[in-house]
Amino acid sequence: MRSAKDFFAPLAVGAPTPLREVPARPSRMIHFFDPSNPKMAAKVPDMVGTVDVLLGNLEDAVKAENKEAARQGLVDIARATDFGEHTQLWTRVNALDSPWALDDLTTLVTEIGDRLDVVMVPKVQGPEDIHYVDRLLAQLEAKAGVTRPILVHAILETARGMANVEAIAGASPRMQGISLGPADLAADRRMKTTRVGGGHPGYLVRQDPVDGDVDGARSVFQQDLWHYTIARMVDACAMHGIFPYYGPFGDIKDVVACEDQFRNAFLLGCVGTWSLHPVQIAIAKKVFSPSADDVAHARRVRAAMGDGTGAVMLDGKMEDDASLKQCLVILELADRLSANDPELAELYAEGSDA
């Protein structure tokens, strides 16, 4: 029986990361749609090329009585739609302990496996969940004659999953990435918040009293509930060469806070996020694409550093080997996005000082 490893270079014994490259296609926004909703389904063809990832959602947002319709709807959409070079087709299947997950995977792989790029698995508890999906995908791909491997994306939304995040990230050569699922994770941790992502006004630090005056005016600074979780997830993904993502931001109307949360995740190392409404697509594109100024500065540092050793002064700031590594990350992302987005290619070309 063919396994996932047959698709990738062999793994070296004791190697800290798999010796293979996860396809680094732009995935700044993973846009969710309900395949059982005719209005949403009708919009899919027009969204191709405007978003990096279109994800047919079969899980929690779909009522139990609509599960089969959503599954069949995704099959129909995949067969009827040309997703081209710039938009990937993903799906979020139902949880592995649900009565629908096996049928989701069996139907989708055997009927549209050649069109499906990534399977997103919710509520992953540990590497054993990924092992199960890995082996099942291999069996179904062999049965259906699928020659391109379907990758796996885990959602981090339980305390046990968080404790096992490093093992999950390295559980299979199929692993594409991990997303934060803040709502389910908050419930599982018994966090005292009802918000879907974002901050909370009660999670704060307060300035110390000035001159011992506890009744005087003191500044308050709201903190990020998700900083530790995202940072640990990013480290686990970096260690295994896969990609970290922020998940949903539920308050659709609060575009300012949405942009702030997306930017926090971007600065911590996330490569993309979920979009639940068209208004969030533009926010994700803006946040997860480097600015023209950042790209221009990165080019200047690369040019000034020469062979990458030593240190230089640029605009009154010291730049050294570590600075260069940071700049190369920005330039790699800019090159990747420019290949798919003519608007960004023009923007980055205009900002080039090299």
Side-chain angles (χ1 to χ4, degrees), residues 44-326:
V44 168
D46 292 334
M47 299 190 75
V48 171
T50 68
V51 297
D52 295 337
V53 177
L54 281 165
L55 181 145
N57 186 20
L58 308 183
E59 201 218 3
D60 285 352
V62 178
K63 293 182 178 180
E65 59 266 29
N66 293 336
K67 295 291 187 183
E68 292 186 8
R71 185 189 305 133
Q72 186 57 49
L74 182 57
V75 170
D76 295 341
I77 290 169
R79 286 175 171 170
T81 306
D82 180 3
F83 289 88
E85 298 180 8
H86 303 321
T87 297
Q88 303 172 56
L89 176 63
W90 293 21
T91 185
R92 179 170 72 169
V93 297
N94 286 282
L96 299 181
D97 59 356
S98 76
W100 305 288
L102 181 59
D103 287 342
D104 289 344
L105 291 169
T106 301
T107 300
L108 297 179
V109 178
T110 56
E111 298 196 25
I112 58 169
D114 58 333
R115 293 175 175 264
L116 197 59
D117 293 288
V118 176
V119 169
M120 182 181 282
V121 183
K123 300 175 179 66
V124 173
Q125 299 275 28
E128 66 278 3
D129 290 341
I130 304 301
H131 297 162
Y132 168 77
V133 174
D134 181 339
R135 183 55 57 90
L136 182 56
L137 287 175
Q139 293 171 329
L140 294 170
E141 287 166 343
K143 179 179 180 179
V146 176
T147 58
R148 177 177 55 85
I150 298 170
L151 301 183
V152 175
H153 184 106
I155 311 180
L156 188 61
E157 48 190 342
T158 69
R160 183 164 176 258
M162 183 65 207
N164 291 325
V165 65
E166 290 86 0
I168 291 169
S172 165
R174 291 182 188 271
M175 283 298 294
Q176 183 274 343
I178 300 177
S179 284
L180 170 66
D184 281 291
L185 182 55
D188 199 52
R189 284 174 165 173
R190 299 182 178 87
M191 294 169 64
K192 307 308 184 286
T193 177
T194 58
R195 301 181 177 208
V196 179
H200 192 287
Y203 192 70
L204 53 85
V205 295
R206 190 179 301 273
Q207 180 188 11
D208 284 346
V210 178
D211 297 327
D213 181 10
V214 296
D215 296 321
R218 296 155 65 182
S219 298
V220 170
F221 305 93
Q222 186 171 324
Q223 303 295 290
D224 184 359
L225 283 166
W226 304 108
H227 183 92
Y228 162 78
T229 303
I230 295 174
R232 186 171 171 193
M233 179 184 72
V234 167
D235 285 344
C237 290
M239 180 171 70
H240 289 283
I242 65 175
F243 302 114
Y245 297 77
Y246 185 73
F249 188 88
D251 192 346
I252 304 301
K253 66 181 182 302
D254 192 349
V255 295
V256 174
C258 177
E259 181 172 335
D260 289 341
Q261 185 66 71
F262 286 0
R263 182 167 289 105
N264 289 346
F266 175 67
L267 291 172
L268 282 170
C270 290
V271 302
T273 187
W274 300 7
S275 56
L276 307 181
H277 185 276
V279 72
Q280 294 183 343
I281 294 173
I283 299 173
K285 180 177 179 180
K286 173 184 176 182
V287 170
F288 289 93
S289 302
S291 69
D293 288 343
D294 284 344
V295 173
H297 175 74
R299 288 190 176 119
R300 292 184 65 209
V301 172
R302 182 176 61 183
M305 283 296 296
D307 64 1
T309 61
V312 299
M313 294 298 295
L314 196 62
D315 299 331
K317 298 180 181 178
M318 186 196 76
E319 307 286 357
D320 59 8
D321 175 64
S323 308
L324 178 61
K325 290 176 181 176
Q326 290 176 296

